[in-house]
């Protein structure tokens, strides 16, 4: 969550700088963002229509297992850094490996 807060704070800072220099932001207008939300929601219509045509009930599990993760899924996370496999293992000349 911290990278998102840092990103938001830096975005606000850049917005202030743009305003001070009277430069227009290259960010897309709200109408474009609403269109992207429509695309995301529209991707859920074909599976729903298929279920309705097959006369199988659209259960709440379908909403929780397909729609919710796709539209409201977890935010991406940074990969956890792992130590290299040779960390702390003695090498041929008597030195310790990186670590």
């Amino acid at each position: 969550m911290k990278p998102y807060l840092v990103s938001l704070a830096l975005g606000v800072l850049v917005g202030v700088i743009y305003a001070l220099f009277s430069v227009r932001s290259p960010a897309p207008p709200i109408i474009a963002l609403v269109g992207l939300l429509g695309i995301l929601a529209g991707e859920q219509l074909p599976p729903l229509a298929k279920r309705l045509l097959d006369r199988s009930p659209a259960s709440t599990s379908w909403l929780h297992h397909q729609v919710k993760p796709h539209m409201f899924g977890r935010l991406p996370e940074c990969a956890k850094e792992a130590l290299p496999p040779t960390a702390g293992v003695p090498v041929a000349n008597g030195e310790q490996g990186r670590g």
Side-chain angles (χ1 to χ4, degrees):
M1 183 78 167
K2 184 179 176 183
Y4 295 96
L5 295 176
V6 170
S7 178
L8 178 64
L10 290 174
V12 169
L13 176 64
V14 169
V16 169
I17 293 170
Y18 278 11
L20 291 174
F21 287 105
S22 300
V23 175
R24 188 169 166 104
S25 169
I30 295 296
I31 190 83
L33 299 177
V34 171
L36 288 174
L37 179 62
I39 290 171
L40 208 69
E43 287 177 338
Q44 304 307 311
L45 292 178
L48 178 62
K50 183 179 176 185
R51 282 182 171 262
L52 292 175
L53 292 175
D54 290 341
R55 298 191 184 268
S56 59
S59 63
T60 56
S61 65
W62 176 78
L63 292 173
H64 290 295
H65 295 299
Q66 181 171 341
V67 177
K68 186 178 176 184
H70 184 72
M71 293 187 68
F72 307 105
R74 292 185 59 183
L75 295 174
E77 296 178 355
C78 296
K80 305 286 186 222
E81 289 189 33
L83 290 175
T86 59
V89 177
V91 290
N93 62 5
E95 295 179 6
Q96 291 282 327
R98 294 184 305 158

